[in-house]
Amino acid sequence: AQSVSQHNHHVILSEAASLELGCNYSYGGTVNLFWYVQYPGQHLQLLLKYFSGDPLVKGIKGFEAEFIKSKFSFNLRKPSVQWSDTAEYFCAVNAGGGADGLTFGKGTHLIIQP
Amino acid sequence: DAGVTQSPTHLIKTRGQQVTLRCSPKSGHDTVSWYQQALGQGPQFIFQYYEEEERQRGNFPDRFSGHQFPNYSSELNVNALLLGDSALYLCASSFASGGEGAQYFGPGTRLTVL
């Protein structure tokens, strides 16, 4: 079975600060990796995904993530955050086909102070 | 292009009752997955339907059952409701044959069990 660990449950940053949210997964085989975001009052939205190829993945709104297989990690980064990035961020993983059931981390609540 | 839709938005039930939640997938998608999201937690995978069959199931009791219709829409049924079933129930759709398809989420149904 897979598991996902997100190290930071609450993160508070000022606007223009750089962001890195940690995500580690536990699974011995090939995995697909995702970051989802849930803005206040909105539904889960896909930020970015990794299936294969270049381990540095670029997503929407200036976010990127790097898959480091040796560290079982898929950290989310953004060089300069904005107040509108305030949201809950979830890392997720599945195995096999991309459509398989996702295993989510507990989420990181990110607050950006103006 | 309509996204994933769910109904109802909110629902209040009492212990022991039964509930049915509904989901219409994103246009072009043929697979529907259901998740339970407790307050402050990441979504947990309940099960997935493809070609009107339950294709994959998470660690949920048999009180949770589902159905997929020929038009790919889906229902989640929960029998003998417990207080602990109070949560946000999320539906996600994807395209099974797409290889690198990701799952797209609906707004959810907030279930409160009294």
Side-chain angles (χ1 to χ4, degrees):
Chain A
Q2 308 129 31
S3 66
V4 177
S5 175
Q6 291 184 241
H7 316 298
N8 314 102
H9 296 299
H10 296 277
V11 173
I12 301 174
L13 295 173
S14 298
E15 275 194 317
S18 64
L19 169 72
E20 181 159 2
L21 301 182
C23 172
N24 285 89
Y25 68 92
S26 171
Y27 184 70
T30 302
V31 294
N32 308 302
L33 297 152
F34 308 82
W35 276 97
Y36 284 86
V37 61
Q38 193 166 31
Y39 297 105
Q42 296 188 27
H43 60 276
L44 273 171
Q45 298 175 37
L46 181 66
L47 262 183
L48 47 78
K49 59 183 179 180
Y50 173 80
F51 282 80
S52 62
D54 188 344
L56 185 61
V57 180
K58 295 194 184 298
I60 61 172
K61 306 188 179 188
F63 286 91
E64 64 178 32
E66 185 176 11
F67 171 49
I68 303 179
K69 189 175 181 180
S70 61
K71 294 185 178 180
F72 297 90
S73 71
F74 190 56
N75 292 353
L76 181 70
R77 300 195 293 244
K78 185 171 184 178
S80 177
V81 294
Q82 301 171 308
W83 176 79
S84 58
D85 293 324
T86 294
E88 192 83 21
Y89 291 80
F90 293 95
C91 181
V93 61
N94 68 6
D100 282 7
L102 293 164
T103 299
F104 282 83
K106 292 187 175 181
T108 296
H109 188 200
L110 175 65
I111 296 173
I112 306 300
Q113 296 176 328
Chain B
D1 178 21
V4 180
T5 60
Q6 292 186 244
S7 64
T9 307
H10 295 88
L11 207 49
I12 299 175
K13 292 284 187 178
T14 56
R15 280 179 298 174
Q17 284 190 311
Q18 178 263 343
V19 68
T20 297
L21 311 181
R22 296 176 176 81
C23 171
S24 290
K26 184 177 166 65
S27 178
H29 285 180
D30 57 8
T31 302
V32 173
S33 302
W34 287 92
Y35 295 82
Q36 181 194 67
Q37 186 177 17
L39 208 58
Q41 301 292 320
Q44 282 198 296
F45 175 65
I46 302 174
F47 45 53
Q48 183 179 86
Y49 275 82
Y50 171 65
E51 292 189 338
E52 302 179 47
E53 298 278 339
E54 185 183 289
R55 175 177 172 269
Q56 196 181 15
R57 190 177 183 93
N59 189 24
F60 277 79
D62 292 345
R63 298 187 297 109
F64 290 78
S65 63
H67 189 76
Q68 186 179 33
F69 299 94
N71 66 352
Y72 308 119
S73 68
S74 176
E75 288 182 349
L76 164 66
N77 301 293
V78 187
N79 294 322
L81 284 167
L82 304 173
L83 295 179
D85 295 331
S86 294
L88 181 67
Y89 287 85
L90 298 169
C91 169
S93 74
S94 53
F95 183 48
S97 303
E100 295 190 356
Q103 295 180 35
Y104 294 85
F105 285 80
T109 293
R110 173 74 61 187
L111 172 65
T112 302
V113 182
L114 302 176

